[in-house]
């Protein structure tokens, strides 16, 4: 297969009645979507794009919730040769004004030709449009023609070339929305080929079960494109339903004899802590051959807690696996060996913190246990480099650099950012790690990103929101993430200076910051500390130093 | 009864969900639409209600349309207790 179009056509012609996706929606019976149904629904959208004058190679933004319309709109764009990009839908708590503002900014950079949404949501989208912007059509989900058999020899998508861009992926927040990762057909297929090999994908027996959102690389690539393009059945539930009833994942695995699932570290803790026994009655997890932990730091304790909770239901110990992945490499960089648990490495804590070396130790009083993210997949090379770009020896911490045949084409319409991301053809990930015997241990971040429940949060976005609260002062607040072992992810902290010493004033200011940030960002902010003038440590250029302030905060909290 | 229930719920949310024991939550303050209780904590609230008041809140009821304040939550619990 050389393009998505060819792969879809092949499935449609070879086994139209094969179920591609079991779509789960709370309170409804599961919907089996065959390749025929999937592509006839997609054809309706392809016709709608054509009718509205959308040209192949133009971007189409999809603002739709989990459901059949989203699937049809996405694959319809592929049939038409347009470039789909799925955005997160507005949540209950997010301010519609902020959503509108972020959307306007995204339109300015990405210059989409069309936006697809529901009639009820069209007013928010309309308000985000500005005169002379690129958007020529707001396409409503209820205005598409009825599903019909696609005529593959006439659809515009047939003319796409392997090196053409097939889709864009954005991460969240004001900063993330400015950086759409553009991937080509070829990059995605190269990733799928190497990754399928790494997980020993069995097209006859595997069943993928997922609750992940499709706007995120792990949800989009591993848990949507991989199954649909490779012909492996997918059981797809909504993240919204999962978070309110995590047992649905286990019931689905049991019912459909699921074999593969990907999820971020926090979800292991969440599932282990929040499911009642009555929801697991009769559940059999023995079919699950891999539950792959990726998109935030992997923690051995989280695997242990998850294993202990679900082992009585047939969960195999070797099912707990890890991967290191990023949108810029389409998805996976590494994958652990599915035949055994991920490699653990007990290292000296002091040497790690002070010399950035991972020295093995048996001394329990001064050690850290690191869990491997596995080995590079076949098409991806990994180096660990120092700040001059030189290779460092094994067991020395440095920045992870990667090179592969499945890299992004570029950040869409941002050649400046694309150029900055590469050094002599190597993509600098901004993550720290070390290697031992070919295994990659990811152990920190150079880039200033906070990862909360698998979502990338840019601290500068949070700080900008803090400055919108009356009583704060620009340049005198700092945001950073701290580890929360109980939830298995990071928690965002804001420290803000105030000249007013009154405790009631400060309490109200903290509350106002919590509310404003929670309403205007993907996170819920709980920890705000109001401090005196000059508490915050600044860099030589006068910006708040995030790591130094984090250490000061942790010392302050005791 | 309702006031007592509201105070029990408020205490739980401040202590266990927000981890700010001093945080006062009024009976009508928005809980979900404000982001005060995030989606990852909704389950904790549902489990607490089940253990404390002996009624089950279904997962499909865990949204701002069903309850968005302590007052509305207490009313929902009482309705279920009466059934």
């Amino acid at each position: 297969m050389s393009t998505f179009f060819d792969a879809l056509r092949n499935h449609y012609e070879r086994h139209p009645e094969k179920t591609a996706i079991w779509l789960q929606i709370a309170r409804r019976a599961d919907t089996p979507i065959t390749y025929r149904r999937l592509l006839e629904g997609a054809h309706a959208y392809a016709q709608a794009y054509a009718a509205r004058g959308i040209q192949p190679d133009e971007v189409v933004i999809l603002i739709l919730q989990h459901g059949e319309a989203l699937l049809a709109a996405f694959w319809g764009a592929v049939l038409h040769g347009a470039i789909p990009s799925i955005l997160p839908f507005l949540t209950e708590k997010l301010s519609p004004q902020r959503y509108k503002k972020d959307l306007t900014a995204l339109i300015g950079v990405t210059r989409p030709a069309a936006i697809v949404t529901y009639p009820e949501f069209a007013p928010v989208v309309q308000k985000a449009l500005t005169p002379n912007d690129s958007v020529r059509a707001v396409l409503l989900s209820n205005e598409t023609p009825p599903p019909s058999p696609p005529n593959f020899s006439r659809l515009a998508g047939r003319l796409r070339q392997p090196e053409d861009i097939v889709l864009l992926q954005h991460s969240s927040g004001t900063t993330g929305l400015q950086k759409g990762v553009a991937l080509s057909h070829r990059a995605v297929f190269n990733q799928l080929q190497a990754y399928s090999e790494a997980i020993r994908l069995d097209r006859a027996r595997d069943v993928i079960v997922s609750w992940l959102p499709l706007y995120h690389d792990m949800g989009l690539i591993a848990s949507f494109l991989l199954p649909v393009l490779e012909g492996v059945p997918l059981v797809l539930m909504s993240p919204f339903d999962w978070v309110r009833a995590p047992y649905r994942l286990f019931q689905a695995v049991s019912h459909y004899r699921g074999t593969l699932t990907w999820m971020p570290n926090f979800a292991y803790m969440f599932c282990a802590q929040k499911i009642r026994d009555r929801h697991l009655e009769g559940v059999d997890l023995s079919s699950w051959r891999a539950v792959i932990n990726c998109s935030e730091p992997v923690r051995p304790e989280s695997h242990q807690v998850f294993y202990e909770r679900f082992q009585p239901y047939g969960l195999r110990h070797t099912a707990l696996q890890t991967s290191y992945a990023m949108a810029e490499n389409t998805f996976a960089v590494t994958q652990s060996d599915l035949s055994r648990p991920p490699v653990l490495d007990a290292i000296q804590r002091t040497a790690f913190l002070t010399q950035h070396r991972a020295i093995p130790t048996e001394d329990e009083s001064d050690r850290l246990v690191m869990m491997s993210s596995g080995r590079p997949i076949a098409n991806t090379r990994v180096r660990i480099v120092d700040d001059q770009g030189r290779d460092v020896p094994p067991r020395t911490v440095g920045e992870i650099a990667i090179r592969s045949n499945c890299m992004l084409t570029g950040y869409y319409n941002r050649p400046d950012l694309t150029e900055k991301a590469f050094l002599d053809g190597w993509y600098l990930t901004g993550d720290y790690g070390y290697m031992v015997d070919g295994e990659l241990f990811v152990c920190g971040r150079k880039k200033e990103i906070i990862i909360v429940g698998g979502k990338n949060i840019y601290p500068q976005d949070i700080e900008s929101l803090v400055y919108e609260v009356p009583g704060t002062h620009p340049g005198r607040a700092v945001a950073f993430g701290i580890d929360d072992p109980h939830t298995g992810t990071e928690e965002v902290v804001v420290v803000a200076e105030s000249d007013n010493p009154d405790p009631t004033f400060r309490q109200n200011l903290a509350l106002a910051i919590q509310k404003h940030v929670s309403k205007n960002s993907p996170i819920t902010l709980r920890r705000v500390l109001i401090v005196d003038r000059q508490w915050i440590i600044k860099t030589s250029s006068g910006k708040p130093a995030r790591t130094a302030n984090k250490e000061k905060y942790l010392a302050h909290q005791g | 009864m309702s006031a007592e229930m509201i105070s029990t719920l408020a205490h739980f949310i401040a202590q266990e969900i927000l981890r700010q024991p001093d945080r006062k939550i009024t009976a009508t303050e928005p809980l979900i639409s404000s982001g005060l209780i995030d989606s990852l904590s909704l389950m904790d609230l549902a489990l607490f209600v089940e253990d404390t008041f002996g009624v089950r809140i279904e997962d499909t009821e865990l949204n701002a349309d069903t309850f968005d304040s302590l007052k509305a939550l207490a009313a929902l619990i009482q309705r279920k207790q009466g059934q």
Side-chain angles (χ1 to χ4, degrees), chain A residues 170-204:
Chain A
H170 292 88
S171 61
S172 57
T174 312
T175 307
L177 289 175
Q178 311 285 317
K179 289 172 70 166
V181 171
L183 298 172
S184 67
H185 296 262
R186 180 174 285 149
V188 176
F189 280 118
N190 286 342
Q191 163 74 207
L192 296 186
Q193 191 190 352
Y195 194 56
S196 298
E197 225 173 86
I199 60 172
R200 293 175 222 165
L201 188 71
D202 183 339
R203 288 168 185 79

Side-chain angles (χ1 to χ4, degrees), chain A residues 36-46 68 72-73 76 145 147-148:
Chain A
R36 181 193 301 284
R37 179 164 168 170
L38 187 68
L39 290 167
E40 293 187 354
H43 185 232
Y45 273 87
E68 204 167 349
S148 56

Side-chain angles (χ1 to χ4, degrees), chain A residues 53-112:
Chain A
I54 308 308
Q55 300 299 311
D57 214 28
E58 287 190 315
V59 174
V60 175
I61 299 284
L62 312 181
I63 305 181
L64 296 164
Q65 283 162 313
H66 171 84
E68 204 167 349
L70 175 57
L71 308 180
F74 181 88
W75 296 112
V78 171
L79 293 182
H80 184 58
I83 302 170
S85 181
I86 302 173
L87 289 199
F89 200 77
L90 181 67
T91 56
E92 285 187 301
K93 67 131 189 156
L94 198 67
S95 140
Q97 288 74 23
R98 176 71 47 182
Y99 192 92
K100 186 203 85 172
K101 227 168 146 178
D102 284 348
L103 184 56
T104 304
L106 173 116
I107 293 168
V109 176
T110 304
R111 300 199 282 277

Side-chain angles (χ1 to χ4, degrees), chain A residues 75-374:
Chain A
W75 296 112
V78 171
L79 293 182
H80 184 58
I83 302 170
S85 181
I86 302 173
L87 289 199
F89 200 77
L90 181 67
T91 56
E92 285 187 301
K93 67 131 189 156
L94 198 67
S95 140
Q97 288 74 23
R98 176 71 47 182
Y99 192 92
K100 186 203 85 172
K101 227 168 146 178
D102 284 348
L103 184 56
T104 304
L106 173 116
I107 293 168
V109 176
T110 304
R111 300 199 282 277
I115 299 178
V116 184
T117 194
Y118 305 112
E120 341 36 302
F121 198 62
V124 176
V125 171
Q126 292 289 358
K127 279 188 211 130
L129 304 182
T130 50
N132 306 320
D133 70 18
S134 59
V135 180
R136 303 196 303 275
V138 175
L139 224 129
L140 302 181
S141 57
N142 63 341
E143 288 178 352
T144 52
S148 56
N151 181 347
F152 288 98
S153 55
R154 298 196 53 186
L155 285 161
R158 75 186 191 283
L159 301 174
R160 305 311 290 160
Q161 298 300 309
E163 62 275 15
D164 287 340
I165 293 169
V166 66
L167 59 90
L168 305 184
Q169 274 193 78
H170 292 88
S171 61
S172 57
T174 312
T175 307
L177 289 175
Q178 311 285 317
K179 289 172 70 166
V181 171
L183 298 172
S184 67
H185 296 262
R186 180 174 285 149
V188 176
F189 280 118
N190 286 342
Q191 163 74 207
L192 296 186
Q193 191 190 352
Y195 194 56
S196 298
E197 225 173 86
I199 60 172
R200 293 175 222 165
L201 188 71
D202 183 339
R203 288 168 185 79
R205 287 193 194 84
D206 274 325
V207 175
I208 291 171
V209 184
S210 177
W211 58 265
L212 299 170
L214 300 185
Y215 53 79
H216 186 282
D217 59 343
M218 187 168 41
L220 180 67
I221 309 292
S223 315
F224 185 56
L225 298 186
L226 182 144
V228 172
L229 294 172
E230 297 288 331
V232 173
L234 166 67
V235 182
L236 187 62
M237 68 188 74
S238 144
F240 189 88
D241 291 341
W242 172 80
V243 81
R244 285 161 177 77
Y247 60 82
R248 287 180 197 279
L249 172 66
F250 299 81
Q251 293 184 349
V253 168
S254 183
H255 182 77
Y256 289 99
R257 306 307 295 147
T259 61
L260 296 166
T261 294
W262 286 261
M263 56 189 202
N265 191 83
F266 88 92
Y268 291 73
M269 300 300 282
F270 187 78
C271 290
Q273 290 160 350
K274 303 192 185 188
I275 298 178
R276 294 258 150 124
D277 285 344
R278 68 166 186 269
H279 287 127
L280 294 172
E281 268 170 35
V283 160
D284 173 6
L285 304 175
S286 59
S287 61
W288 231 354
R289 67 182 186 91
V291 191
I292 299 172
N293 188 344
C294 80
S295 91
E296 63 181 333
V298 297
R299 298 163 196 251
E301 318 81 66
S302 303
H303 279 198
Q304 194 54 33
V305 169
F306 189 84
Y307 178 65
E308 282 166 16
R309 179 71 182 96
F310 300 109
Q311 182 272 332
Y313 300 93
L315 178 70
R316 287 186 254 166
H317 195 239
T318 51
L320 296 165
Q321 296 293 339
T322 55
S323 170
Y324 171 61
M326 67 193 60
E328 284 84 353
N329 199 44
T330 303
F331 178 60
V333 173
T334 64
Q335 174 61 51
S336 58
D337 177 349
L338 264 51
S339 65
R340 58 188 174 120
V343 176
L344 297 180
D345 191 30
I347 58 170
Q348 291 177 20
R349 180 190 290 269
T350 315
F352 176 74
L353 294 176
T354 57
Q355 304 162 35
H356 309 295
R357 302 248 306 132
I359 303 168
T361 182
E362 312 230 311
D363 174 8
E364 287 190 23
S365 65
D366 178 41
R367 75 169 190 185
L368 276 175
V369 179
M370 310 294 292
M371 182 158 64
S372 168
S373 288

Side-chain angles (χ1 to χ4, degrees), chain A residues 383-558:
Chain A
R383 285 167 63 204
I384 308 291
V385 297
D386 65 15
D387 46 18
Q388 312 289 316
R390 295 171 304 208
D391 288 273
V392 300
R395 291 202 166 276
T396 302
V397 175
E399 184 171 2
I400 302 167
I402 62 173
R403 189 167 194 162
S404 75
N405 63 5
C406 57
M407 304 276 346
L408 73 167
T409 304
Y411 294 110
Y412 199 67
N413 292 340
R414 293 300 303 267
D416 53 330
L417 293 178
T418 310
E419 202 198 316
K420 257 201 275 178
F422 285 88
L423 183 69
D424 302 330
W426 289 79
Y427 173 73
L428 296 171
T429 63
D431 290 317
Y432 286 125
Y434 66 91
M435 290 195 81
V436 185
D437 303 331
E439 299 271 339
L440 177 68
F441 294 83
V442 182
C443 57
R445 245 163 274 150
K446 179 180 180 181
K447 61 190 171 200
E448 293 192 318
I449 272 184
I450 309 168
I451 308 183
V452 184
K455 276 184 218 149
N456 289 354
I457 306 295
Y458 293 85
Q460 60 271 32
D461 288 353
I462 303 295
E463 289 157 8
S464 305
L465 290 172
V466 171
Y467 302 137
E468 292 174 4
V469 178
T472 61
H473 307 278
R476 290 174 57 193
V478 61
F480 47 83
I482 57 169
D483 276 334
D484 182 345
H486 181 71
T487 55
T489 185
E490 288 181 271
E491 169 112 33
V492 177
V493 175
V494 165
V495 178
E497 291 180 359
S498 168
D499 297 332
N500 189 334
D502 176 41
T504 313
F505 173 87
R506 288 189 170 195
Q507 212 174 3
N508 289 338
L509 180 61
L511 201 60
I513 292 173
Q514 278 172 8
K515 282 187 179 167
H516 189 70
V517 171
S518 300
K519 199 72 195 146
N520 290 282
S521 76
I523 60 144
T524 289
L525 180 65
R526 297 186 189 89
R527 292 174 187 262
V528 177
L529 179 68
I530 307 295
V531 295
D532 294 333
R533 176 186 275 272
Q534 295 190 337
W535 189 100
I536 291 174
I537 303 165
K538 304 250 174 123
T539 62
S540 50
S541 59
K543 289 182 185 160
R546 297 197 179 95
T547 311
N549 284 301
K550 170 178 168 172
E551 280 160 19
K552 190 170 176 183
Y553 171 85
L554 290 172
H556 179 272
Q557 298 301 99

Side-chain angles (χ1 to χ4, degrees), chain A residues 26-27 92-94 240-248 266 270 273-276 278 484 486 507 511 514-515 518-519 524-527, chain B residues 17-20 22-23 29 32-44 47-48 50-51 56 58-65:
Chain A
R27 282 201 275 207
E92 285 187 301
K93 67 131 189 156
L94 198 67
F240 189 88
D241 291 341
W242 172 80
V243 81
R244 285 161 177 77
Y247 60 82
R248 287 180 197 279
F266 88 92
F270 187 78
Q273 290 160 350
K274 303 192 185 188
I275 298 178
R276 294 258 150 124
R278 68 166 186 269
D484 182 345
H486 181 71
Q507 212 174 3
L511 201 60
Q514 278 172 8
K515 282 187 179 167
S518 300
K519 199 72 195 146
T524 289
L525 180 65
R526 297 186 189 89
R527 292 174 187 262
Chain B
I17 294 182
L18 306 178
R19 295 177 199 267
Q20 300 156 28
D22 301 333
R23 171 76 156 85
E29 184 174 344
I32 301 174
S33 64
S34 64
L36 185 69
I37 299 183
D38 66 351
S39 56
L40 294 174
S41 306
L42 282 169
M43 278 288 297
D44 294 315
L47 297 176
F48 175 76
E50 182 173 328
D51 292 342
R56 281 188 203 169
E58 299 303 325
D59 51 85
T60 49
E61 294 175 320
L62 290 172
N63 55 63
D65 292 338

